[in-house]
Amino acid sequence: MNATCSNDNQAPFSNQLLQKPFVPGGWWTGTAILLVLYCIYEQISFATSRHRAGFKSVRGPQYAVPLVGCIIAMVKNPYQFWEDQRKYSFPGLSWNSLCGKFMIFTTDAEISRRVFTFNDPETLLMAVHPSGKNILGEGNLAFMHGPPHKAIRKSFLSLFTRKALATYVELQDGIIREHLKQWQQVEGEREIRLFVRDLNVATSRSVFAGPYFESKEEIEKFGKAFLHMTEGFLALPICIPGTAVWKGKQGRLYILDLLEKAAARSKASMKEGNAPRCLMDFWAQRCLEEIREAEEQKVAAAGHTTDRAVADTVMDFLFASQDATTSAVVWVTVLMADYPDVLQKVREEQSRLRPDLIAPITGEVLNEMVYTRQVVKEVLRFRPPAPMVPQIAQKPFRLTEDYVAPKGALIMPSIVAANMQGFSNPSVFDPDRFSPDRKEDIKYQKNFLTFGHGPHYCVGKDYAVNQIICFLANMSTSCEWTRRKTKSDDSDWLYLPTIYPADSLITLKVAAQS
């Protein structure tokens, strides 16, 4: 009886729990315990991931900062961080953690070449910026692989023939001369990087699709949209209205609309039998051939032949060429100021090959600029614009006989380190290493990875090199310039995301001979 009364008066156990006061400290304690357990798991996972055969480990820090890893040190001083990382093992492998992601850094040229050889969902895929798909679009070449990627790269062959490159050189030469004249009108010292950026945007726009922009307003909006895309990569990866990433995405969409209209006009012009005037025309010719071949075979034409696809890929060229070429031209400018003896040899070659400096530079004359080309190649070896090209392991990936990177690992092949291997006195700026006598470009060709290797080898390499040569040829003969350094050396680079000198403060004037 008493037991029955006691049970009737007792509230259900679940109700008792609900009636207990909420104790915040309990939740905080539980969360803290889970966080500590995860951090322990993370460190154990990293220790296991860097294990090599024979009870050895990949070199690197003794431990990684939980959760954030090396991101703070990398953002604070990127040059020093990557230099310290290189010193762990050169040439070889080292490890670290990037925002909780296990990372393998390779400074061995042979390993880096092997990494670049793969590009498929079964081995390795390129790791692009977190905002990459928002800003560049999911159809960007960086995200392509397999048969579609091979097909579109095959279609590119017609864009970089000797005939096509000669057409581009005439356009490049004219725009470079125009911008140099504008530079000469600016008095005093200036940060040259911004000027070079504008020059390269104008050159790329004209070479790739110039004749098909209808108005000055379109050209101005194009430049602003392009700048928004660049700035989006330097901001937090948040894509909501008003953010830099969102503006970058809108910039891409605007440029795509312009280029789609340009692609249609280009195809119409090529159908009429007009001579190609820009890169888009050469590709329109090739696309029209592929469309005719598909019609004859009664199959669907390849997807990359549509106006939208052509626009998407030309925009890829525009963006890919912009940052890398801007970086290279800035380095050419500052290094020539730092090495006046090299600049003098360039001027002597230009005087010999171009007695009439007013005459346009042709593809034929440009190909005869042996020493100027050596200088450009050495700049690209000495200061490669893209210092590394990260890849993500889609499954355990063997890097050496005694080490396999785990699935999901971020593999970072160092182009800077590869370019410093094999070459004589690699840390010295020496264009003569590429002379016909020394031939280091042939001897150590496998270590020169500035333009990549394998499926993502830069198809626009010759165009980019010609742009830099054409710039140096014109600037060396039309300008005198000096550089003011705010630091004693160039050991502190800017990562934007391609590399630049910490300062490129140039004072420029018209050359007496021009």
Side-chain angles (χ1 to χ4, degrees):
M1 182 72 177
N2 290 338
T4 303
C5 291
S6 175
N7 289 339
D8 289 341
N9 294 330
Q10 184 177 359
F13 181 68
S14 59
N15 287 348
Q16 291 183 40
L17 288 177
L18 292 174
Q19 291 169 5
K20 287 184 177 181
F22 173 68
V23 182
W27 291 101
W28 283 113
T29 301
T31 302
I33 291 173
L34 289 175
L35 188 60
V36 169
L37 290 175
Y38 179 80
C39 290
I40 293 173
Y41 162 78
E42 185 183 66
Q43 297 300 314
I44 294 174
S45 174
F46 291 158
T48 304
S49 296
R50 64 180 188 265
H51 175 71
R52 308 180 81 145
F55 301 100
K56 298 179 181 179
S57 293
V58 174
R59 294 181 179 180
Q62 293 184 346
Y63 69 94
V65 178
L67 304 178
V68 297
C70 61
I71 188 67
I72 296 174
M74 187 177 72
V75 172
K76 185 178 179 180
N77 190 335
Y79 174 82
Q80 192 59 52
F81 169 78
W82 290 114
E83 182 63 12
D84 291 343
Q85 191 69 40
R86 180 187 70 83
K87 291 177 181 177
Y88 280 124
S89 181
F90 178 77
L93 303 176
S94 61
W95 82 279
N96 215 315
S97 164
L98 185 59
C99 293
K101 188 86 169 175
F102 181 74
M103 178 184 78
I104 285 290
F105 186 65
T106 171
T107 56
D108 185 287
E110 185 176 347
I111 296 175
S112 295
R113 280 178 64 86
R114 183 168 181 274
V115 169
F116 288 143
T117 301
F118 295 89
N119 179 48
D120 62 76
E122 299 301 318
T123 53
L124 301 173
L125 286 177
M126 188 182 294
V128 187
H129 190 281
S131 298
K133 290 189 177 181
N134 277 317
I135 297 174
L136 299 176
E138 294 188 2
N140 187 275
L141 285 171
F143 306 118
M144 295 181 69
H145 52 80
H149 186 237
K150 291 180 180 178
I152 196 169
R153 285 179 66 89
K154 183 179 179 180
S155 184
F156 293 160
L157 295 177
S158 62
L159 308 183
F160 302 105
T161 61
R162 291 181 68 89
K163 178 181 178 181
L165 290 169
T167 299
Y168 307 155
V169 166
E170 294 179 13
L171 296 171
Q172 290 167 299
D173 178 55
I175 294 169
I176 289 170
R177 288 173 186 259
E178 177 185 338
H179 277 256
L180 288 177
K181 288 180 181 178
Q182 295 173 7
W183 294 7
Q184 291 168 349
Q185 295 171 7
V186 178
E187 296 183 358
E189 186 178 81
R190 83 291 307 269
E191 170 56 64
I192 204 67
R193 177 165 49 87
L194 302 178
F195 288 81
V196 173
R197 179 203 166 274
D198 289 343
L199 181 154
N200 280 332
V201 168
T203 306
S204 298
R205 184 190 64 243
S206 179
V207 170
F208 296 161
Y212 302 109
F213 285 90
E214 291 185 329
S215 66
K216 184 178 180 181
E217 182 182 3
E218 278 188 348
I219 292 175
E220 290 177 353
K221 288 184 177 179
F222 175 95
K224 291 180 180 178
F226 214 88
L227 180 60
H228 286 322
M229 290 181 66
T230 302
E231 290 175 341
F233 279 102
L234 303 177
L236 291 174
I238 301 173
C239 189
I240 57 176
T243 63
V245 175
W246 183 83
K247 291 178 181 178
K249 180 178 181 179
Q250 301 311 305
R252 170 177 64 86
L253 295 174
Y254 175 78
I255 292 174
L256 275 180
D257 288 341
L258 286 182
L259 292 177
E260 186 173 12
K261 295 175 185 176
R265 297 187 193 111
S266 176
K267 285 181 179 177
S269 178
M270 294 303 97
K271 284 181 180 179
E272 293 174 0
N274 296 321
R277 295 175 291 170
C278 63
L279 179 145
M280 188 172 276
D281 284 344
F282 283 101
W283 199 18
Q285 282 186 333
R286 178 57 187 159
C287 287
L288 290 172
E289 290 175 5
E290 292 185 26
I291 291 171
R292 284 194 295 270
E293 291 170 0
E295 290 175 348
E296 292 172 0
Q297 298 173 12
K298 297 182 179 180
V299 296
H304 61 255
T305 60
T306 67
D307 292 347
R308 189 68 174 185
V310 168
D312 206 351
T313 303
V314 169
M315 197 211 66
D316 293 346
F317 283 148
L318 284 165
F319 200 81
S321 67
Q322 176 58 36
D323 280 349
T325 309
T326 297
S327 168
V329 170
V330 169
W331 279 110
V332 163
T333 304
V334 301
L335 288 171
M336 290 303 94
D338 294 344
Y339 294 87
D341 55 327
V342 174
L343 178 58
Q344 181 57 33
K345 289 182 181 179
V346 170
R347 285 173 171 154
E348 290 171 359
E349 179 178 72
Q350 294 303 315
S351 297
R352 185 178 71 255
L353 296 175
R354 301 165 55 214
D356 180 7
L357 296 177
I358 298 177
I361 294 176
T362 63
E364 183 178 355
V365 172
L366 186 140
N367 289 332
E368 294 177 3
M369 298 179 186
V370 177
Y371 186 75
T372 308
R373 185 176 295 272
Q374 287 176 203
V375 172
V376 169
K377 289 178 71 173
E378 175 65 348
V379 170
L380 292 170
R381 182 203 69 85
F382 192 62
R383 295 291 184 261
M388 63 202 77
V389 182
Q391 313 283 322
I392 295 181
Q394 305 301 301
K395 67 177 184 180
F397 185 83
R398 181 170 293 281
L399 288 170
T400 64
E401 291 184 359
D402 66 348
Y403 181 70
V404 177
K407 178 180 179 180
L410 187 63
I411 302 175
M412 309 283 279
S414 173
I415 294 174
V416 174
N419 285 3
M420 291 291 172
Q421 290 170 44
F423 298 96
S424 59
N425 296 318
S427 60
V428 174
F429 181 74
D430 179 15
D432 286 331
R433 72 175 72 252
F434 295 126
S435 67
D437 293 332
R438 290 170 59 179
K439 299 180 181 178
E440 290 192 24
D441 53 335
I442 297 174
K443 293 178 183 177
Y444 307 113
Q445 182 181 11
K446 291 184 177 181
N447 297 347
F448 188 86
L449 294 180
T450 297
F451 293 99
H453 176 69
H456 282 292
Y457 183 76
C458 179
V459 295
K461 168 195 167 185
D462 292 332
Y463 164 79
V465 170
N466 285 354
Q467 169 76 355
I468 306 165
I469 293 175
C470 199
F471 171 82
L472 180 54
N474 275 303
M475 189 166 182
S476 65
T477 54
S478 65
C479 301
E480 298 278 358
W481 70 97
T482 57
R483 177 194 184 192
R484 181 174 66 88
K485 289 185 177 182
T486 58
K487 298 185 178 182
S488 60
D489 56 28
D490 282 321
S491 63
D492 188 10
W493 303 343
L494 299 178
Y495 284 69
L496 298 173
T498 49
I499 62 170
Y500 293 89
D503 52 52
S504 45
L505 302 172
I506 300 296
T507 300
L508 179 148
K509 64 180 181 179
V510 179
Q513 64 182 32
S514 66

